[in-house]
Amino acid sequence: DSVDLTRTLEELKSVVESKLATIKKFLREKRAQDEARHRAAGQNTEALHKTLKRMKNEIVTMQEKTRLLEEQVLRDPLTGVHNRRALDTRLQEEVHRFQRYGQIFSLLVIDLDRFKHVNDVYGHTTGDQCLKEVARRMSAVLRKSDFLARYGGEEFVVILPGIQKEAARCVAEKLRHCVEKTRFLYQGQRIPLTVSVGVSQIEAQEETPESVFQRADLALYEAKKQGRNKVVVDPETP
């Protein structure tokens, strides 16, 4: 069109130069716009990465808080060992594991002898310190795979996975001896403290957590009858 409209070469040159200048200007503006969009996209991407990183950190923090809360729910606040709720869950799991895979386990029910006397004479604060020390000493004797829980008051329960009754009796004796030889002191005066232990072993496929516990509890009662500071194995355990 420009060629048709111009009469001389100079006019055509002038028109072409004008058109080229317009195209160059457009290209510069287009390049500037593209660069601005790229910078904005880069800034948005960086902001997105920062947001994602912050969200990830928040998720990790929340997961850790959740884990700690769950741990607190399953721990005895005084002794730091597992509590009754955790024990019920773990015992049910061990029974299911035995029923499905045949993995044996034994159970210890442990009671501090004449602990009411300790509380009455030396005070509940001293009694609490004794409970904490007993839990700490017993934890040091047990394997990592063993499960120690405070059942309530001055009573503890230990689950021994893969352990039969005779080996469980040996573990119970170690725990009894550990407590017996520990020096519990109150204002320089030694507090006599011992434990009695009842032992049972999972028996049959149809057995329940309650029945395993009941037999260990009856064995504990027999240990008390025999004078305390003793270990008794449930006679019905094979």
Side-chain angles (χ1 to χ4, degrees):
D1 291 343
S2 298
V3 171
D4 293 338
L5 293 173
T6 54
R7 291 186 299 272
T8 65
L9 186 59
E10 286 299 322
E11 289 180 354
L12 178 60
K13 180 181 177 182
S14 176
V15 170
V16 170
E17 287 177 348
S18 175
K19 297 293 184 181
L20 289 174
T22 301
I23 292 172
K24 288 180 180 179
K25 180 181 179 182
F26 170 80
L27 291 175
R28 285 196 300 269
E29 292 175 350
K30 182 68 168 58
R31 187 180 299 113
Q33 291 174 357
D34 289 343
E35 290 176 352
R37 281 196 294 268
H38 288 154
R39 284 195 300 271
Q43 291 172 353
N44 290 338
T45 302
E46 184 179 358
L48 180 60
H49 282 312
K50 288 181 179 178
T51 300
L52 290 174
K53 184 177 181 180
R54 185 178 70 254
M55 291 176 63
K56 183 178 179 180
N57 291 336
E58 289 175 355
I59 291 172
V60 171
T61 301
M62 289 299 297
Q63 288 175 335
E64 180 63 15
K65 287 182 178 179
T66 301
R67 185 190 67 80
L68 292 174
L69 287 173
E70 290 175 348
E71 185 72 11
Q72 290 173 5
V73 168
L74 298 176
R75 290 282 176 177
D76 174 55
L78 175 64
T79 61
V81 301
H82 295 95
N83 60 16
R84 173 74 176 273
R85 177 182 295 184
L87 171 65
D88 291 342
T89 300
R90 179 61 180 271
L91 187 54
Q92 185 70 60
E93 290 173 354
E94 291 297 333
V95 171
H96 285 166
R97 192 172 289 112
F98 170 75
Q99 292 170 343
R100 186 165 185 175
Y101 304 108
Q103 179 173 309
I104 206 78
F105 73 89
S106 292
L107 193 71
L108 311 181
V109 179
I110 305 166
D111 188 76
L112 275 66
D113 297 325
R114 298 185 176 90
F115 193 69
K116 183 178 182 302
H117 176 75
V118 174
N119 282 329
D120 292 343
V121 174
Y122 305 101
H124 288 275
T125 300
T126 300
D128 287 348
Q129 293 301 315
C130 290
L131 286 171
K132 290 168 66 175
E133 186 62 19
V134 167
R136 190 182 72 82
R137 294 297 179 101
M138 291 195 299
S139 295
V141 172
L142 297 170
R143 306 170 300 172
K144 289 184 178 180
S145 59
D146 297 332
F147 186 89
L148 171 64
R150 185 185 179 193
Y151 188 75
E154 64 271 20
E155 198 167 31
F156 294 86
V157 175
V158 178
I159 300 175
L160 301 172
I163 297 294
Q164 296 184 347
K165 67 169 185 177
E166 287 306 321
R169 182 201 296 271
C170 293
V171 174
E173 285 291 355
K174 286 181 181 179
L175 296 176
R176 184 196 64 77
H177 181 66
C178 171
V179 175
E180 183 182 34
K181 72 176 184 179
T182 300
R183 291 177 59 85
F184 299 93
L185 299 176
Y186 175 77
Q187 296 180 356
Q189 180 183 358
R190 184 169 183 175
I191 302 173
L193 196 59
T194 59
V195 296
S196 297
V197 188
V199 182
S200 68
Q201 174 187 312
I202 186 77
E203 288 185 353
Q205 294 290 335
E206 66 274 8
E207 190 157 24
T208 64
E210 292 77 18
S211 60
V212 180
F213 181 87
Q214 184 178 23
R215 289 189 291 103
D217 199 41
L218 290 173
L220 170 64
Y221 180 73
E222 182 61 29
K224 296 285 189 180
K225 283 178 58 179
Q226 292 182 16
R228 297 179 174 83
N229 195 23
K230 295 185 179 298
V231 173
V232 171
V233 178
D234 166 44
E236 296 182 13
T237 298

